[in-house]
Amino acid sequence: MTTLYECHLDGVCAADTVGALLERITGLTGIAPYLLARGSVDSAAFVEHEIVFACRNNATANIGGSMRAVAQCLKTDSEGVIRAVPLLQRDWSLRFVAAPQPPKPGQAVSLRAVYDSPVVAGNLFDFIDMLDFDLAFEFVRKGYRFHYGPICITVSCIYKLLEKHKLSSMTPFDAASETWLVELTSERTRTESIPIVSEAIAAFAKNLRGLVDMGIVDVNKFVASKPLDELKSLSQDPQLIRTQFKPLELNQLEFNILHAIDEAKFTMRGRIVPVEKKAGLFKYESDPKMDLTPFQTPATDYTQRYKIIAMDMDGTVLTTSIQLCQLQKAKFNDFIAIHLDQNGTAFHIDYTVDSSSPCSKDQKPVDPKTTFKTRTLVSKAEEGTRPKLEQMSSEKAEGKEVEKSFLQKYWYYI
């Protein structure tokens, strides 16, 4: 199965500015779904029911993500009347959303792996029970959704259900402030397209400044473990979901390597994978479909850059570059080193070639038969001795209760 990724940015908007925000989005996209409502919750363009499930078996609870079922609650009948759809008759989609990686310096968007599958037959809840999952909590989104190129723009309010699965019992989570959640998400994206899609989302977010500030929400700052019994209680009394992260062992890691020249589209170059039966050792495998012709063409000047991207299975992206002429001068003999933190998360990449002399104008053309001869290293940082510190509770300072932001309280609905 090909892993697809979702790039996203998140923000919040006050109720009194939602109308202006929708008008700006309409001007940017040229799309106006139900804008006559001017941001009215009662006239929302979509009503979406989302149910989150937790592993019943503690041995498999550390899956590093969440299983979700999503469906639209309203449908227009043959007479043009919008009606509520009964629970079991909705067009459900089953979605596994992997935990997003901690943001890296210079990273433009959040990134997470997502797997989608429509439920085409049978009872969804019987299937979930067979997979050994239980209901953790559920909520409803009400709002507006725009599609613009590869970007989905969602402006919505979040509601909790006071009674299980009963839409008539829904009530706003944040009724006092009437805060709306704004999300910019991509279509499911292949590894090689992530840089382009990320730039498109970041550029669109800049056009919303003044009404909403979009940014990366580092959910890891709000994460801690929680007993399964407490997860089950969330369907009645929603509270913060705390995901447990289980670091991968070195022999479980793999990295996709992509490359490009200057601003050209990134293409797959190969993979860095563990060497069987040799713990801690990795090897490079070239992609059999790789076309080296653009990289073998002699560099026209010294400013041309050869760029590479290393991406792990969780979507962490590391990038670096060198002069293209240096790679050609080294006859494609190169070295890739990926550095991991104590938890096994990649945070830095080093890339060098076997050539120390400067490029020259009379540089010889590259032999068409030349291919990459790549050496690799994947190293994990060792955790040193730490002092024992007494940390003040984040919720109290100078004896006063610190008010949490909307995203700090409701990050798990993103």
Side-chain angles (χ1 to χ4, degrees):
M1 178 185 292
T2 301
T3 301
L4 298 179
Y5 296 92
E6 180 184 83
C7 308
H8 65 103
L9 290 176
D10 305 279
V12 293
C13 179
D16 56 2
T17 60
V18 169
L21 176 63
L22 293 177
E23 289 179 357
R24 181 174 296 186
I25 296 172
T26 301
L28 293 169
T29 64
I31 306 168
Y34 306 93
L35 280 186
L36 292 178
R38 292 185 60 81
S40 167
V41 179
D42 295 331
S43 304
F46 77 90
V47 180
E48 190 173 77
H49 187 188
E50 187 161 334
I51 305 175
V52 181
F53 302 92
C55 287
R56 188 183 298 132
N57 183 355
N58 290 331
T60 57
N62 294 331
I63 58 174
S66 60
M67 187 74 73
R68 307 183 179 200
V70 183
Q72 296 293 325
C73 302
L74 305 179
K75 186 176 288 187
T76 304
D77 63 16
S78 57
E79 299 177 355
V81 179
I82 299 176
R83 301 184 185 278
V85 183
L87 182 71
L88 296 180
Q89 296 178 22
R90 294 173 191 158
D91 295 328
W92 290 99
S93 176
L94 197 58
R95 177 181 304 167
F96 176 77
V97 181
Q101 288 296 303
K104 305 293 189 301
Q107 184 174 323
V109 298
S110 295
L111 193 65
R112 59 190 176 191
V114 178
Y115 302 90
D116 277 308
S117 177
V119 179
V120 295
N123 186 301
L124 166 70
F125 300 97
D126 289 344
F127 178 69
I128 289 291
D129 183 68
M130 183 185 68
L131 293 179
D132 211 23
F133 280 78
D134 273 336
L135 170 67
F137 66 103
E138 59 184 342
F139 60 96
V140 172
R141 294 180 187 272
K142 243 179 143 179
Y144 304 85
R145 184 165 285 149
F146 305 76
H147 293 276
Y148 181 62
I151 306 172
C152 176
I153 307 108
T154 305
V155 184
S156 62
C157 272
I158 302 175
Y159 293 77
K160 59 184 176 182
L161 300 181
L162 300 180
E163 297 182 40
K164 184 178 179 181
H165 302 331
K166 194 170 183 179
L167 294 183
S168 59
S169 70
M170 69 182 191
T171 183
F173 268 102
D174 203 23
S177 63
E178 297 185 10
T179 303
W180 288 60
L181 181 64
V182 184
E183 300 167 282
L184 302 180
T185 57
S186 70
E187 298 172 343
R188 304 299 176 253
T189 304
R190 292 181 178 272
T191 303
E192 57 268 24
S193 301
I194 287 174
I196 297 173
V197 174
S198 299
E199 290 179 6
I201 291 178
F204 192 92
K206 291 179 181 179
N207 294 318
L208 303 182
R209 288 177 179 173
L211 293 173
V212 58
D213 291 325
M214 307 300 296
I216 296 175
V217 179
D218 186 2
V219 302
N220 300 279
K221 292 181 179 179
F222 315 130
V223 170
S225 61
K226 263 206 174 294
L228 185 60
D229 290 342
E230 291 188 39
L231 286 176
K232 294 178 180 179
S233 70
L234 291 170
S235 58
Q236 300 298 324
D237 184 18
Q239 51 186 292
L240 289 183
I241 295 298
R242 313 289 191 170
T243 307
Q244 297 178 333
F245 293 96
K246 185 177 181 180
L248 293 174
E249 299 295 333
L250 278 179
N251 60 3
Q252 297 175 295
L253 294 175
E254 290 185 6
F255 298 89
N256 288 327
I257 306 298
L258 297 87
H259 62 173
I261 299 175
D262 290 336
E263 302 306 317
K265 181 180 178 180
F266 279 91
T267 57
M268 187 65 72
R269 171 182 154 170
R271 298 189 308 152
I272 294 177
V273 297
V275 177
E276 291 185 11
K277 298 181 181 180
K278 292 186 179 181
L281 294 182
F282 287 75
K283 63 181 179 179
Y284 171 78
E285 297 178 346
S286 290
D287 190 310
K289 298 180 181 179
M290 175 179 56
D291 180 13
L292 271 179
T293 305
F295 306 95
Q296 294 170 335
T297 304
T300 56
D301 58 61
Y302 300 155
T303 63
Q304 282 188 289
R305 306 292 295 181
Y306 174 72
K307 300 179 179 180
I308 70 166
I309 283 177
M311 176 178 290
D312 66 14
M313 295 179 292
D314 291 323
T316 300
V317 176
L318 305 174
T319 183
T320 188
S321 67
I322 62 169
Q323 287 178 292
L324 175 61
C325 59
Q326 285 286 350
L327 175 67
Q328 295 174 341
K329 192 176 181 65
K331 298 181 180 180
F332 289 59
N333 287 280
D334 58 358
F335 175 69
I336 301 174
I338 297 175
H339 303 277
L340 314 176
D341 63 17
Q342 294 91 336
N343 295 320
T345 301
F347 70 89
H348 183 71
I349 180 173
D350 286 320
Y351 182 65
T352 58
V353 295
D354 294 347
S355 174
S356 56
S357 58
C359 298
S360 59
K361 292 183 179 180
D362 57 350
Q363 191 163 309
K364 297 180 180 180
V366 180
D367 187 335
K369 297 180 180 180
T370 300
T371 187
F372 283 104
K373 294 175 278 293
T374 302
R375 294 168 291 119
T376 63
L377 172 68
V378 177
S379 63
K380 185 175 180 180
E382 297 295 333
E383 188 168 0
T385 304
R386 294 185 178 184
K388 185 177 180 180
L389 301 176
E390 295 293 336
Q391 187 173 4
M392 181 183 292
S393 171
S394 60
E395 298 186 359
K396 293 187 178 182
E398 298 179 359
K400 296 182 180 179
E401 196 77 14
V402 177
E403 178 65 24
K404 291 181 179 179
S405 70
F406 181 86
L407 290 176
Q408 284 177 321
K409 291 187 286 187
Y410 305 120
W411 58 268
Y412 47 94
Y413 294 106
I414 296 173

